[in-house]
Amino acid sequence: MTTLFLGAFGAATALTGYASYSASRHTIETLVDRRLDEVSRALLDEARQGDAGAILARIATLSRQRETGDLGFELIDRSGRRLGGNVTVGGAVPAGFSTLNDSVLPGTSTWRVQRRDAGGGLRLVTLVETEPVDGFAAVWLRSYALGFGSIVVIVVAGAVSFSTIVRRRIDELRSTAEAIIDGDLTQRVPVEPGSGAFAEQAATFNRMLDRIAALVDSLRHVGGDVAHDLRTPLARLRSRLALIVAETPTAELEAVLDHCDELLAIFSAILRISEVEGGDRRTAFQPVSLSAIASDVAETLAANAADSGHVLTVMALADGTVAGDRQLLAQAGLNLVGNALTHSPAGSRVTVAVTREADAMRLTVTDDGPGIPEAARATALRRFGRLDASRNRPGHGLGLPLVEAVARMHRGTLSLEDAAPGLRAVLTIPAG
């Protein structure tokens, strides 16, 4: 907007200057032409029309007068032959007014010329040197440069200053918004006293953030507190059940014990997601190699894959690091590979790869199982979003949401794509 404004202002200034210059020059030329017309008419009025001798005598008289020192006269006949005068034009002159660019006299360059009928086939050519008119251009240019130039400097300085202030305010707002997105709900937009509308906007934005932070903190504590408070009695219940099963093992009691383990896993996952979304680990980010994490994950789950009848392979491992938490990224990789092993039938191939594209590193886990329909992928990323009908496998629906929380914490994304056949899960983290 600043560039467009300055461009429009510059164009308007240039057009205004050209218009004023043209109008001023036209006015001066009109005054010069009026003088030529008056002088030539007065000369012919005082001499007999068609009398070449009388006209030449009048020209000689006028040439000796001081106030006509810048005027030139030439009398020519019908054929253009010079009959006399105090200058020699040396060329055809059109009737009426015209401009002659020729050195009629030594040291001159441009003349304003009028040719009019003097009677009897005679023609009187009257010239006036336009050096004062030509000098007007330089004077006008200096005045224009000083006048309009100062205005342009003031406008450009004001526009640049305004643009800088607005850009700084926008940068402050954007950096605060990015911090909020990253999970740091304590960040606020700086409020500078005396900044007028900018300060009012920042204060309003901060009040909105205060309200959002209070609501998010309340929701976060509700989920975490519930999971934490229920996990303790559930753990006690499981311990007692384990003792009973050890003394009197039955299939029914073992099934109840398995359900307790599943509930404990759910509460642990909820607490883990709450911890990740809190963003407390971001200040301890270090350079991490996704390729090294992928290799470790594949090595860790190799035995599980063999036991379940899957083929787990590691493809390309591109060089490059990301700024992040190694433990959380490793947990995300374990979840992705474990999800592929769990939800694809025995005999399926699971492939792990790390690639670099532009300024991001991509950890890709691909399986050739049944996949997830495009319409159901949003459900798969939602907490407790189980797809038993499509994949027919156990799970509590918190594995992918945890991976997505880790991705957001690292300013990355998690996307689910069609591997044709199967599913491709792509964890993208900014490189660097």
Side-chain angles (χ1 to χ4, degrees):
M1 290 180 63
T2 302
T3 302
L4 290 175
F5 169 75
L6 292 178
F9 178 79
T13 303
L15 289 175
T16 301
Y18 178 77
S20 63
Y21 172 77
S22 300
S24 301
R25 188 175 182 86
H26 176 72
T27 300
I28 294 176
E29 288 184 350
T30 300
L31 295 175
V32 172
D33 291 346
R34 185 182 300 172
R35 182 189 180 202
L36 284 175
D37 185 67
E38 292 174 352
V39 170
S40 61
R41 182 182 292 110
L43 187 151
L44 294 177
D45 287 345
E46 296 178 7
R48 190 169 54 254
Q49 291 285 321
D51 187 344
I55 295 174
L56 291 175
R58 182 59 184 162
I59 290 175
T61 301
L62 288 176
S63 298
R64 291 191 293 268
Q65 296 179 3
R66 182 179 180 88
E67 63 270 14
T68 61
D70 61 337
L71 292 172
F73 303 95
E74 185 180 46
L75 186 64
I76 58 177
D77 60 13
R78 189 188 306 275
S79 62
R81 184 171 60 88
R82 183 178 187 278
L83 300 178
N86 62 349
V87 296
T88 301
V89 176
V93 178
F97 295 96
S98 60
T99 299
L100 178 63
N101 294 310
D102 195 6
S103 200
V104 177
L105 293 175
T108 63
S109 58
T110 305
W111 296 75
R112 190 68 179 164
V113 183
Q114 182 198 37
R115 196 196 78 182
R116 67 187 308 160
D117 184 42
L122 301 178
R123 295 177 175 83
L124 175 64
V125 178
T126 308
L127 305 87
V128 63
E129 187 181 0
T130 59
E131 181 180 357
V133 180
D134 297 335
F136 162 77
V139 175
W140 175 88
L141 184 60
R142 287 195 299 270
S143 301
Y144 182 81
L146 292 175
F148 283 95
S150 61
I151 295 175
V152 170
V153 170
I154 293 173
V155 171
V156 170
V160 172
S161 299
F162 178 76
S163 175
T164 302
I165 293 174
V166 172
R167 182 181 296 276
R168 182 165 59 87
R169 301 293 183 180
I170 293 176
D171 290 341
E172 292 173 349
L173 186 64
R174 182 174 60 248
S175 61
T176 302
E178 289 177 349
I180 298 297
I181 292 172
D182 291 339
D184 185 3
L185 299 181
T186 63
Q187 291 295 318
R188 295 295 181 267
V189 180
V191 180
E192 298 181 5
S195 297
F198 290 113
E200 294 177 1
Q201 182 190 32
T204 302
F205 191 79
N206 288 340
R207 288 197 300 271
M208 178 188 69
L209 292 179
D210 291 338
R211 180 59 176 164
I212 292 175
L215 293 174
V216 172
D217 189 61
S218 176
L219 291 175
R220 181 184 298 163
H221 282 98
V222 167
D225 291 345
V226 169
H228 184 273
D229 291 343
L230 290 179
R231 186 173 62 172
T232 300
L234 187 61
R236 294 173 181 171
L237 176 61
R238 188 201 179 281
S239 298
R240 293 187 179 184
L241 282 173
L243 292 176
I244 295 174
V245 170
E247 295 177 359
T248 312
T250 64
E252 189 68 24
L253 289 176
E254 290 179 357
V256 174
L257 189 61
D258 290 340
H259 289 318
C260 287
D261 290 337
E262 184 177 354
L263 288 174
L264 287 172
I266 291 175
F267 290 143
S268 297
I270 293 175
L271 292 173
R272 187 63 165 164
I273 293 175
S274 298
E275 178 188 0
V276 171
E277 290 181 340
D280 298 331
R281 293 172 173 259
R282 189 172 294 105
T283 56
F285 276 4
Q286 297 291 333
V288 179
S289 171
L290 275 187
S291 296
I293 290 177
S295 297
D296 293 344
V297 168
E299 182 179 353
T300 301
L301 296 179
N304 293 346
D307 293 341
S308 60
H310 292 81
V311 179
L312 178 60
T313 58
V314 179
M315 301 295 287
L317 295 177
D319 293 331
T321 61
V322 299
D325 186 298
R326 179 180 178 83
Q327 182 180 357
L328 290 180
L329 290 173
Q331 181 66 60
L334 289 170
N335 280 22
L336 290 179
V337 177
N339 189 73
L341 295 175
T342 301
H343 298 288
S344 59
S348 299
R349 178 180 295 273
V350 178
T351 304
V352 181
V354 175
T355 57
R356 178 162 188 163
E357 295 186 5
D359 295 329
M361 300 296 297
R362 292 162 55 102
L363 171 62
T364 304
V365 178
T366 308
D367 65 68
D368 54 4
I372 298 178
E374 183 176 358
R377 291 171 191 167
T379 303
L381 295 175
R382 192 176 65 232
R383 293 187 186 184
F384 304 105
R386 298 182 58 181
L387 302 175
D388 292 343
S390 61
R391 305 198 101 181
N392 194 26
R393 289 293 187 274
H396 45 65
L398 292 173
L400 290 179
L402 176 58
V403 177
E404 189 175 37
V406 172
R408 285 198 304 270
M409 181 181 181
H410 290 79
R411 296 185 177 179
T413 59
L414 172 65
S415 60
L416 303 180
E417 304 171 358
D418 186 8
L423 179 70
R424 180 183 300 108
V426 183
L427 176 63
T428 303
I429 305 294

